[in-house]
Each structure stands twice: as structure tokens, then as C-alpha cells.
Amino acid sequence: MTAVTVRLMFALSLLLVLVLGAQAGQPLWKLLPLSGYFLLAAVSGVCNTFLESASGLNADSGLLNWVYLIHMDFLYIYLAAELRGKKRWGLAATALLHILLTALRSFAAVPLLTEKVGDWLGFSLLVVAIVLMLFSHEEMQRRISWCLCAVAAFLFLIWGVTRYVGVEVLYPFSNPVTSMLGGYPHAFYALLCNVAGLLCAVQVVVEFVRSMLLRQRQMQMMEISSQTAQEKYEQAQASVRQTASFRHEWKNHIAALHLLAQRQDQTELRNYLDRLDGELEQLSPRNFTANPTVNTIFQRFAAQAKKKDVTFRVSAVLPEMLQIREDDLCSLLFNMLDNALEAAAQTEQGEILCSMQIRRQYLAIRCENTYSGTLRTDKNGELLTTKNDASDHGFGLMKMRAIAKKYGSVLDISYDENRFTVMTALKLLPEKKNQ
């Protein structure tokens, strides 16, 4: 009864992971055969014990016998889904063939597959699965394969010990090998399948919990990135307001300079001019585009690029109003230009080229910059951060991808030996009609 309960718990846990993954936008359909394996294993255990003795059911009857024979094939189908290429289709096809042959035997009474031959075919399937996983590209699959090999070696070791100390001493552990050597391998490969199913289920649950925690952390870091971009934008706006205030006070400064000139106070006149020159250095009154949000961001990065001796060129033919949320636009541009400026500042002749324009209800954005060094990518070819504390970085690119997806686009990244280019086209939101 304990084994049945554990199998049911694993089946329900895997179905719960499947549902939660689907809600998070990552449906793990390959978990269906694995949960089916535990569910059918529990059903066959119940039917062949309690129900059989209480109701007089015959385990050799069609449906019960078929469930008992094929439940391990669902495990093989899951393992096939974890493999790639010809390995996947070969193992899956063999498992489906075994299901078909057992169905013909159980329901049509076609003597294509005797019980003994069926057991050896199931055992052969397990051996094939172990070998294929051993040469898999996934490290976890190789670990499961080695673990199954270790369990099999342990069973043979126990069986070998019983040859000298007697079978009755270690009987429960020696029985699977003894039965297999006697021509009935079902107990041996059923035990290995239970171990494999347990390892796969634990792996799935652990990886799912880990991915959910990572996803939560990523969302938090992306939110922090958005808040940081908004704070930088507000700082840039303050600089623009300071420029406007300086222009407003310009007449007063001219009057003060005239007064000092009339007094012929050369020392005070020079001091006053120095103060004005310092204030002018802190301002960036250049206009890049008619849109105030984009213009403020470009003004900020133009000043930073000048300090780092990076050439900053902009082409932005934009209207005053854009049908894109200001926080999304700020977050995208700040993350994009931050990365570009950091990379360009590390080259001898750093350069950033940024262009923005409206094309058929899309805001086309292109940012190109020089860079030096080696780019890092994961197994899927996605870029990784090159910073030492990688756990706290790399979220800017993730945030840009999320914004691009939000506006019906993708973030296109290309690069050669010394140039890095990021492009996207954000779909403009429909204009709100006046009510």
C-alpha cells in the first residue's frame, strides 16, 4: 500500500508541475508519459493485490494484464522525449511497438508475444534506454544512466555474496538477479524502472522549483532595472529643467556682467565668468529629436559619452508624442545605451550609432557600438553577461527582450569581430480617442 501511495503522490506532483508550468507559459507536455507511468504503476499495484483478492479479478484478463505489462513503456517514452534526434525516435518507436504487441496478446489473443519473450523485450528496452542516456548531451541523463548501472552492479554484487553465505541471508535483494538468470527478468528491470522513474520525478520537481525561484528573482531584478532607468530619466529631466532655468536667468547674468565691467573689477569679473563656464559644462542643451523623453535620454548619454571619449551619433526623426508607455521606452533605451556605452568605452576609438524612426506604425530602433573582447553564450546561443558577478547582471538584456515582446516584436542581436548591433521594432499603441 505504501508503494501505491508513493506512486500516486508522484503522479499528482508531476501533473501539478505540468499545470503550473502551463500557467507560467512553459507547458511541459513531456511530463504526461512520466506521470502516466506512476499512475498506471499504482493502478496495476492495486488491481493485482487488493481488488484481485477482494473481487476475484484475474490479473491475466485483458485490461488488467495490459496495464500491468505496458506501464513501464510510458517511462521509456518520457526518456525518449529527453533524448534528441534519432535516439529519441528510435526509443519511442520501440516502446510503442511493445505496447502494440502486448495489446494484441491481451485483447486479440494473438500469440505474437509470450510472457517470457515480452519480459525480455521490456528488459532490452531498458538496456537500450540506459545506453542511449549514457551517450546523451544532457548531464542529468548521463547521471541517471550511471546510477542505474550502479544499482544493477549492486544487485549482482549481492547475488554474488549469496553464493557463499546463503540465499536466505540477503533474499529480497538477490531475488531479481536470481529470477533473471532463471529466464524471468521482469523483477530485475521493474526494480530498475522504479529507480529510474524516481530519479526522473525528483529531477523534474527540483528543476521546476529552481526555475520558479530563478524566474521570481529575474522578475525582481527586471523591476529594479526598470526603476533604475526611471530614476536616471528623472535625473536627466532635472538637468533639462536646470538648462531651462539657466536660459531664463541669462538676462540677469548679462546685467551682472555689465555692472562688473562698468566697475572695472577684473578679478570679480573673471570669477563670475568662471562660475558661468562651470555651469555651462554641466548642461547639455543640444536637441536630438522632438520627443522630449527620447531627447532627454540622448542628452544624458551624449554627456556621458563625451566624458569617456566615445563618439555618440544619433539620428532620431520622431514626433513629439509616441504611442509607447514612457516607462517602457525609458527602460529599453537606458539598458540599450548603458550596455553600448560600457562596451564602446573599452575600445580605442569608441563609437555609438543610434537611430530611431517611425515605419508603418512601428518604432524602429537600431543601436550599433564598438566592442572588444569575447562574447559568452549559453547552450542555446543566447548571450550571457561577461561580468564576474553574473548572478546580479544580465537582466538588462532580459528586460529589453520582455519589452520588445510586449510590443509585438523581438530583440534582434548581431555582431562581428568589433561591432555589436541591437535592433527592434516596437508596435505603436493605438491612439486614444477623445470622448
Side-chain angles (χ1 to χ4, degrees):
M1 189 62 184
T2 302
V4 172
T5 303
V6 171
R7 289 167 178 170
L8 284 175
M9 289 178 60
F10 272 115
L12 294 176
S13 299
L14 293 171
L15 289 176
L16 179 60
V17 169
L18 176 61
V19 172
L20 294 177
Q23 291 179 348
Q26 298 177 343
L28 303 174
W29 301 114
K30 63 182 180 182
L31 296 185
L32 284 175
L34 184 59
S35 59
Y37 162 73
F38 284 106
L39 187 61
L40 291 182
V43 170
S44 63
V46 171
C47 291
N48 289 313
T49 54
F50 300 103
L51 294 182
E52 181 181 357
S53 59
S55 306
L57 295 176
N58 184 6
D60 294 331
S61 62
L63 182 59
L64 293 182
N65 185 60
W66 190 58
V67 170
Y68 180 71
L69 292 174
I70 71 165
H71 75 275
M72 283 177 285
D73 290 316
F74 283 78
L75 175 63
Y76 300 145
I77 293 175
Y78 168 76
L79 295 176
E82 289 290 299
L83 298 172
R84 299 179 183 177
K86 295 181 180 179
K87 299 176 183 178
R88 169 185 296 179
W89 300 113
L91 182 58
T94 309
L96 292 174
L97 178 62
H98 183 256
I99 292 175
L100 176 61
L101 292 176
T102 52
L104 291 175
R105 174 193 167 190
S106 300
F107 298 108
V110 179
L112 295 176
L113 195 67
T114 63
E115 181 178 356
K116 190 172 183 180
V117 173
D119 285 342
W120 280 108
L121 181 56
F123 175 73
S124 301
L125 275 172
L126 177 63
V127 173
V128 170
I130 292 175
V131 173
L132 293 179
M133 287 192 299
L134 189 61
F135 295 97
S136 171
H137 296 284
E138 298 292 335
E139 182 179 359
M140 186 57 66
Q141 299 303 310
R142 295 197 298 271
R143 289 180 180 178
I144 292 176
S145 180
W146 281 114
C147 184
L148 293 177
C149 292
V151 172
F154 174 76
L155 292 177
F156 273 99
L157 177 63
I158 294 297
W159 176 83
V161 171
T162 60
R163 300 302 92 190
Y164 298 96
V165 300
V167 178
E168 65 280 355
V169 178
L170 299 172
Y171 167 70
F173 299 101
S174 62
N175 183 58
V177 176
T178 302
S179 299
M180 185 181 69
L181 295 179
Y184 298 94
H186 187 273
F188 183 79
Y189 82 85
L191 178 59
L192 292 183
C193 282
N194 287 330
V195 174
L198 178 64
L199 292 175
C200 291
V202 171
Q203 170 195 343
V204 167
V205 174
V206 170
E207 287 297 323
F208 180 76
V209 172
R210 183 183 300 173
S211 66
M212 291 298 291
L213 294 176
L214 178 61
R215 182 182 179 86
Q216 184 178 6
R217 173 174 169 78
Q218 290 174 346
M219 294 298 293
Q220 292 174 349
M221 295 302 295
M222 288 169 63
E223 185 66 26
I224 293 174
S225 177
S226 297
Q227 293 176 358
T228 303
Q230 189 65 28
E231 291 173 359
K232 290 180 179 179
Y233 173 67
E234 291 172 358
Q235 293 172 3
Q237 279 188 321
S239 176
V240 172
R241 287 192 295 268
Q242 186 180 359
T243 302
S245 176
F246 181 84
R247 289 176 177 174
H248 180 72
E249 296 293 331
W250 182 248
K251 291 182 179 181
N252 296 333
H253 292 308
I254 295 296
L257 290 172
H258 275 297
L259 181 60
L260 292 174
Q262 289 175 0
R263 292 179 181 178
Q264 296 183 353
D265 189 346
Q266 298 298 323
T267 302
E268 187 64 26
L269 182 61
R270 282 195 295 269
N271 290 338
Y272 197 93
L273 288 172
D274 288 340
R275 289 197 302 271
L276 288 179
D277 185 58
E279 291 183 19
L280 285 171
E281 284 294 328
Q282 296 175 1
L283 303 175
S284 54
R286 180 182 174 187
N287 289 325
F288 292 93
T289 184
N291 183 268
T293 302
V294 177
N295 189 62
T296 300
I297 295 172
F298 283 156
Q299 286 178 347
R300 175 185 176 87
F301 280 96
Q304 292 182 355
K306 184 177 180 180
K307 292 180 181 179
K308 296 184 178 182
D309 198 24
V310 173
T311 302
F312 187 72
R313 295 182 181 144
V314 173
S315 173
V317 183
L318 301 176
E320 185 175 352
M321 298 296 296
L322 285 172
Q323 285 75 48
I324 292 179
R325 287 185 52 173
E326 187 177 272
D327 55 342
D328 290 334
L329 189 58
C330 288
S331 183
L332 177 69
L333 291 179
F334 267 106
N335 282 301
M336 183 182 293
L337 293 173
D338 264 334
N339 292 340
L341 183 58
E342 183 177 355
Q346 298 175 4
T347 60
E348 293 184 2
Q349 296 180 347
E351 184 181 42
I352 298 176
L353 305 176
C354 188
S355 65
M356 299 178 66
Q357 56 184 309
I358 304 296
R359 292 181 180 176
R360 297 181 181 179
Q361 297 302 312
Y362 282 87
L363 174 60
I365 304 174
R366 185 178 188 275
C367 183
E368 177 183 333
N369 63 272
T370 56
Y371 81 98
S372 60
T374 304
L375 298 176
R376 295 174 56 217
T377 58
D378 59 14
K379 60 182 180 181
N380 297 321
E382 298 289 345
L383 286 173
L384 299 174
T385 179
T386 56
K387 298 180 180 179
N388 294 329
D389 50 344
S391 60
D392 293 327
H393 294 279
F395 298 100
L397 195 61
M398 190 181 304
K399 180 64 177 177
M400 287 190 286
R401 285 197 176 101
I403 294 174
K405 182 179 180 181
K406 178 179 178 180
Y407 289 88
S409 182
V410 295
L411 197 71
D412 182 62
I413 298 175
S414 60
Y415 49 88
D416 54 23
E417 294 180 357
N418 52 20
R419 290 273 174 173
F420 190 92
T421 305
V422 179
M423 294 186 295
T424 189
L426 308 182
K427 185 174 179 59
L428 300 177
L429 299 174
E431 296 185 13
K432 295 181 179 180
K433 297 181 179 180
N434 296 327
Q435 296 181 350

